[in-house]
Amino acid sequence: MTSAVTIPRHGGTGARTAVAARARQVVKAYGAGETRVVALDHVDVDILRGQFTAIMGPSGSGKSTLMHCLAGLDTVTSGQIFLDDTEITKLKDKKLTQLRRDRVGFIFQAFNLLPTLNAIENITLPMDIAGRKPDREWLERVVDTVGLAGRLKHRPSQLSGGQQQRVAVARALAARPEIIFGDEPTGNLDSRAGAEVLGFLRRSVDELGQTIVMVTHDPVAASYADRVLYLADGRIVDEMHAPTAEQVLDRMKDFDARGRTA
Ligand SMILES: Nc1ncnc2c1ncn2[C@@H]1O[C@H](COP(=O)(O)OP(=O)(O)OP(=O)(O)O)[C@@H](O)[C@H]1O
Ligand SMILES: [Mg+2]
C-alpha cells in the first residue's frame, strides 16, 4: 500500500507518507433538482509527494472544483479528502482555515499581490499574518530559485507580469507548505514569462522537494509536470507520465474527437 511508504520530510525531521493528498470517492454537486450539476463524480486520486502534477480537461470538466476540494477551499458533497494523514473533509471551519494557512500554498491566475507592499513584503505577508518568523536561509533560497534577488524592494506596479507571478510563487514557497495548488498560474502571462514561471515551479520540485498541483489548459505548461491527469465530466479518464507538449496535445485532440462522436 502506498501510504506505508515513507520518505524523509525535506525539513529534516520525521517522515511523511509518499502521498501528499488524496481524494476518495469524492462527489461535488451544485444545485438541486433539475438544475443539479455533478462537477465531480466519485473521484479517486493520489497526489504524490515531491511531484509536479498537472490537471487538464475541457472547460467545465471539474478541474477547478477538484483543486478547490483538494485544497480545502470548497466542501465536498460526499467522499473524503486527506492532506497527508489529516482528513480535511472532517474538519470544522476554524481548523480548516488554520490548515490552509499552515500547510497549503496557493498561486492563482491573478497574482493577488498587495500593491502597497514591495516584493519581499508580499512574499512574507502570509507568515506575518500567521505570526510566524520566516526561516532566513530558506527565504534566500526561495528568492534565488525564483530569480528575484535584485527586485525585492520593487512594488508590484514596478514589476513585469512574469516577475509579479514569480513573487506569488515565492510567496507560496516561502512558508514551506506541504503542497502548492495553482489554478492556471500562467494563464495571464505571455509564453516567455509563462515559461519562466513554469521553470521555477519545476525547480522548486526538483531542488526544494516541493509538491505541486497545477490546473492548466496549456499542453506546454503540462509538459513541465511529472504526471498529467485528464478530467472529463467530473471523472478522471486518463493520465500520462513525463509527457512532452506534443504528446499532451495529441491526447487532447483524441479526447476532442471522441467528444464529438459521443
Ligand atoms: N458555484 C457553482 N454553482 C453551480 N455550478 C458550478 C459552480 N461552480 C462550478 N459549477 C459547475 O461545475 C462544473 C465544473 O466546473 P469547474 O469550474 O470545476 O470547471 P473547470 O474544469 O475548472 O473549467 P474551466 O476550464 O472553464 O475553468 C461546471 O459544469 C460548472 O458549471
Ligand atoms: Mg477552472
Side-chain angles (χ1 to χ4, degrees):
M1 211 174 112
T2 42
S3 61
V5 183
T6 56
I7 54 170
R9 198 181 219 162
H10 52 262
T13 52
R16 287 175 178 164
T17 55
V19 179
R22 59 204 150 103
R24 286 295 174 269
Q25 291 294 299
V26 167
V27 173
K28 176 69 181 181
Y30 292 105
E34 281 185 11
T35 59
R36 185 173 142 102
V37 173
V38 178
L40 296 176
D41 187 3
H42 298 90
V43 171
D44 282 316
V45 68
D46 283 2
I47 302 297
L48 299 186
R49 193 176 303 288
Q51 271 206 355
F52 190 171
T53 304
I55 301 177
M56 299 195 81
S59 181
S61 58
K63 301 180 297 295
S64 295
T65 307
L66 177 60
M67 196 202 91
H68 290 163
C69 290
L70 284 171
L73 286 170
D74 205 349
T75 57
V76 303
T77 304
S78 63
Q80 297 169 294
I81 306 274
F82 296 87
L83 186 69
D84 198 11
D85 286 337
T86 312
E87 185 185 342
I88 66 174
T89 31
K90 262 196 191 152
L91 297 180
K92 300 260 182 296
D93 272 359
K94 199 173 156 206
K95 286 260 185 238
L96 193 57
T97 306
Q98 233 169 38
L99 172 137
R100 275 199 309 262
R101 194 189 66 197
D102 296 340
R103 296 171 60 182
V104 181
F106 297 97
I107 310 164
F108 294 102
Q109 190 167 348
F111 322 132
N112 293 332
L113 302 178
L114 285 189
T116 55
L117 300 183
N118 67 29
I120 190 69
E121 289 164 346
N122 265 291
I123 291 170
T124 56
L125 181 68
M127 281 178 288
D128 293 341
I129 290 173
R132 281 166 60 194
K133 276 242 174 320
D135 173 340
R136 281 288 138 202
E137 227 173 277
W138 177 255
L139 199 56
E140 269 172 35
R141 228 175 127 192
V142 166
V143 166
D144 259 10
T145 306
V146 300
L148 280 169
R151 290 286 183 281
L152 293 179
K153 293 284 162 64
H154 289 60
R155 298 238 178 98
S157 61
Q158 300 166 318
L159 297 169
S160 71
Q163 288 168 338
Q164 288 182 59
Q165 191 61 312
R166 277 148 59 185
V167 173
V169 171
R171 179 180 57 188
L173 287 167
R176 309 190 86 160
E178 286 173 39
I179 187 163
I180 290 179
F181 292 97
D183 198 349
E184 304 195 43
T186 53
N188 277 339
L189 302 176
D190 63 36
S191 57
R192 180 154 162 248
E196 250 174 38
V197 168
L198 288 161
F200 296 125
L201 291 176
R202 183 67 249 174
R203 276 181 71 185
S204 73
V205 172
D206 293 338
E207 294 173 23
L208 310 176
Q210 187 61 56
T211 307
I212 298 180
V213 178
M214 170 183 74
V215 170
T216 184
H217 280 110
D218 175 9
V220 174
S223 72
Y224 284 79
D226 298 298
R227 177 186 181 211
V228 183
L229 300 172
Y230 293 90
L231 274 179
D233 297 328
R235 291 189 202 152
I236 292 177
V237 291
D238 203 0
E239 68 174 89
M240 286 174 94
H241 291 269
T244 64
E246 214 163 42
Q247 288 167 328
V248 175
L249 193 61
D250 281 347
R251 187 67 56 96
M252 284 164 79
K253 284 183 192 152
D254 244 29
F255 283 133
D256 284 352
R258 263 187 262 164
R260 275 197 300 275
T261 52

